[in-house]
Amino acid sequence: MDVSAVLMGLLELCADAEKQLANITMGLPLSPAADSARSARHALSLIATARPPAFITTIAKEVHRHTALAANTQSQQNIHTTTLARAKGEILRVIEILIEKMPTDVVDLLVEVMDIIMYCLEGSLVKKKGLQECFPAICRFYMVSYYERSHRIAVGARHGSVALYDIRTGKCQTIHGHKGPITAVAFAPDGRYLATYSNSDSHLCFWQMNTSLLGSIGMLNSAPQLRCIKTYQVPPVQPASPGSHNALRLARLIWTSNRNVILMAHDGKEHRFMV
């Protein structure tokens, strides 16, 4: 079965679901178009929750394909790219369902999920309102941090790398910093540093952001650079009880000043660090 063809076909049917279903008068039969939209939306949700990795990886590949085609001005748009563009609202709706019902599956593919979200959200809207207001569901993860002044998003991945998104340029830089899944990331209040923590490799790292004039104001057509300036070894945090969901909220990072951060464990224990 061509999973991409199935999902894109369903997205085509429900791309205008909001419009189709909003025009239905209460108590009257659904029009054929509205019935198709509702059925496709339901089928999309069922497939996504039954096979989250298949849904996430397939949509992420389509996003990357669309982005590559858009970058080539001579390429002609096909049904997949036009469908993807029209169905952004439906895609975000399903991603929100997955975050709510199957957060462990989302965390396993958190960078791919953020790729999808960044495609579906308008960059200008995120810059104006912030990630928390535009798509609050993704901000529930301690592995995601957004810094409003530089419009950068940091995402910690299961394989130990950090994806750094620049909303202004649309670029993403990947930094390999840990030997295991990242538990939490957080920008310093002034944005000069990024703290990352992995409970798996028991290390907390401080990364210094690119502070050059061009890099700080986004004039370079490239992702901002990071360099690790300090690493601390930390005793691992034990989960409250066996279970996959506990791993998602083991610990978080809280900056108390521009150079001091607290690693707050789920049981309330604190470890304090300084850049």
Side-chain angles (χ1 to χ4, degrees):
M1 179 184 293
D2 187 340
V3 179
S4 178
V6 172
L7 293 180
M8 296 309 293
L10 290 172
L11 283 172
E12 173 64 26
L13 289 172
C14 68
D16 300 317
E18 290 294 339
K19 185 187 301 182
Q20 295 283 357
L21 297 174
N23 294 329
I24 299 301
T25 304
M26 187 66 69
L28 294 180
L30 292 175
S31 66
D35 189 36
S36 295
R38 187 180 66 171
S39 298
R41 172 185 273 186
H42 183 59
L44 198 65
S45 300
L46 288 176
I47 293 172
T49 51
R51 296 181 60 193
F55 177 85
I56 293 169
T57 55
T58 299
I59 299 299
K61 287 178 181 177
E62 290 295 336
V63 165
H64 295 158
R65 182 185 303 177
H66 173 84
T67 304
L69 286 172
N72 184 352
T73 56
Q74 295 182 351
S75 295
Q76 296 295 318
Q77 285 192 329
N78 57 29
I79 185 65
H80 282 206
T81 59
T82 55
T83 297
L84 204 65
R86 290 173 52 230
K88 289 180 178 180
E90 288 301 311
I91 294 171
L92 288 177
R93 182 188 66 82
V94 176
I95 292 295
E96 195 166 7
I97 291 173
L98 292 179
I99 291 173
E100 177 64 30
K101 294 185 175 181
M102 315 185 83
T104 304
D105 292 285
V106 173
V107 164
D108 286 341
L109 295 163
L110 197 55
V111 173
E112 287 83 354
V113 169
M114 185 57 74
D115 286 345
I116 295 170
I117 293 172
M118 291 301 296
Y119 168 77
C120 293
L121 292 178
E122 294 295 331
S124 58
L125 192 63
V126 178
K127 287 168 63 177
K128 181 180 179 181
K129 296 186 175 183
L131 185 63
Q132 175 68 50
E133 187 170 341
C134 291
F135 199 72
I138 197 66
C139 297
R140 66 181 288 186
F141 295 114
Y142 295 155
M143 307 86 172
V144 176
S145 180
Y146 174 62
Y147 185 62
E148 291 188 2
R149 287 167 60 185
S150 65
H151 307 297
R152 290 170 178 168
I153 300 172
V155 178
R158 296 292 294 173
H159 44 74
S161 65
V162 179
L164 189 66
Y165 296 83
D166 191 326
I167 295 172
R168 300 162 303 180
T169 63
K171 302 290 184 180
C172 178
Q173 178 192 14
T174 301
I175 305 99
H176 298 282
H178 291 272
K179 296 179 181 178
I182 292 181
T183 308
V185 303
F187 284 105
D190 63 0
R192 291 185 61 192
Y193 303 104
L194 176 71
T196 63
Y197 167 66
S198 170
N199 191 61
S200 179
D201 71 6
S202 303
H203 281 86
L204 183 144
C205 299
F206 286 110
W207 305 81
Q208 187 171 36
M209 306 293 292
N210 182 350
T211 55
S212 68
L213 176 61
L214 292 179
S216 64
I217 62 178
M219 292 179 65
L220 294 177
N221 188 27
S222 62
Q225 297 296 312
L226 285 178
R227 64 186 182 94
C228 186
I229 57 172
K230 192 172 288 188
T231 300
Y232 291 95
Q233 188 161 2
V234 188
V237 179
Q238 299 301 322
S241 59
S244 56
H245 288 275
N246 292 311
L248 302 182
R249 307 189 75 79
L250 275 177
R252 58 177 171 157
L253 294 165
I254 304 170
W255 288 85
T256 56
S257 71
N258 290 331
R259 298 183 65 88
N260 294 274
V261 72
I262 294 174
L263 176 65
M264 176 76 74
H266 66 89
D267 57 6
K269 292 182 179 178
E270 299 180 2
H271 298 276
R272 295 174 181 266
F273 304 92
M274 183 176 180
V275 178

